[in-house]
Amino acid sequence: THTHMHARMYSYLDAEQMGEIRKEELGAALKLMGVNASNEEMEEILTRVDEDGSGSIDEDEWLELIAEVTRQKQEDECLMEVFSFLDRHNRGSFGREELKVAAAALGEHLSEAMISQMVGDADVDGDGQLSFLEFKQIINSA
């Protein structure tokens, strides 16, 4: 089962068999799960997952982290499907017109002002287009 595999992975990462994955080992653990995290992101993950405040991740916390990463990957896959629908020209971004067409296809009428506000609020780099990360930001803040 997946749980058994994740428990074995935990044992592997807990090389010293101390019953914990330390912050220093967390980066390798996350990479094994396909997550590239900065030091700041690893700190945030450790703080969020370390329920007992030990400064490390025990096996139960590890299994919770695995579940969280799995949920996030599934959410990202769903968002990517929607993003791909909006990015009709496969440019890696979409703009106001694609958003308007997609909304109309879903039976929603968005005014020019609403579209401008949505794109403007999310368009971090100011190029008039929404990248996947910018799109994800809109969805996660809704």
Side-chain angles (χ1 to χ4, degrees):
T1 65
H2 286 296
T3 304
H4 179 70
M5 180 182 72
H6 295 137
R8 288 184 59 207
M9 187 186 299
Y10 179 84
S11 292
Y12 170 76
L13 292 165
D14 180 19
E16 298 170 9
Q17 301 301 306
M18 301 291 290
E20 63 183 15
I21 296 176
R22 294 186 318 265
K23 179 182 165 188
E24 298 79 29
E25 300 161 325
L26 183 58
L30 291 171
K31 282 184 181 168
L32 283 173
M33 293 186 288
V35 176
N36 291 315
S38 67
N39 285 338
E40 184 177 291
E41 290 168 326
M42 282 191 290
E43 276 291 333
E44 190 271 325
I45 290 168
L46 182 61
T47 300
R48 191 175 65 250
V49 174
D50 182 20
E51 294 175 2
D52 62 8
S54 66
S56 61
I57 298 174
D58 64 29
E59 191 167 357
D60 289 337
E61 293 164 341
W62 168 252
L63 294 174
E64 184 58 38
L65 175 60
I66 293 282
E68 181 180 320
V69 167
T70 301
R71 275 190 306 274
Q72 186 61 53
K73 283 185 174 190
Q74 289 170 340
E75 287 174 17
D76 284 354
E77 287 172 10
C78 289
L79 284 177
M80 185 52 83
E81 286 180 29
V82 174
F83 180 81
S84 295
F85 172 75
L86 292 167
D87 180 20
R88 298 182 318 197
H89 303 292
N90 295 319
R91 295 183 306 230
S93 63
F94 66 90
R96 298 165 42 91
E97 192 57 37
E98 290 93 350
L99 187 57
K100 187 176 182 178
V101 168
L106 296 171
E108 293 289 326
H109 174 72
L110 300 178
S111 69
E112 289 297 323
M114 290 171 70
I115 291 173
S116 292
Q117 182 175 357
M118 289 173 73
V119 172
D121 288 350
D123 185 17
V124 176
D125 59 12
D127 66 354
Q129 299 285 307
L130 296 181
S131 67
F132 178 70
L133 292 177
E134 291 168 330
F135 172 69
K136 184 177 172 181
Q137 188 74 29
I138 289 176
I139 300 301
N140 288 338
S141 66

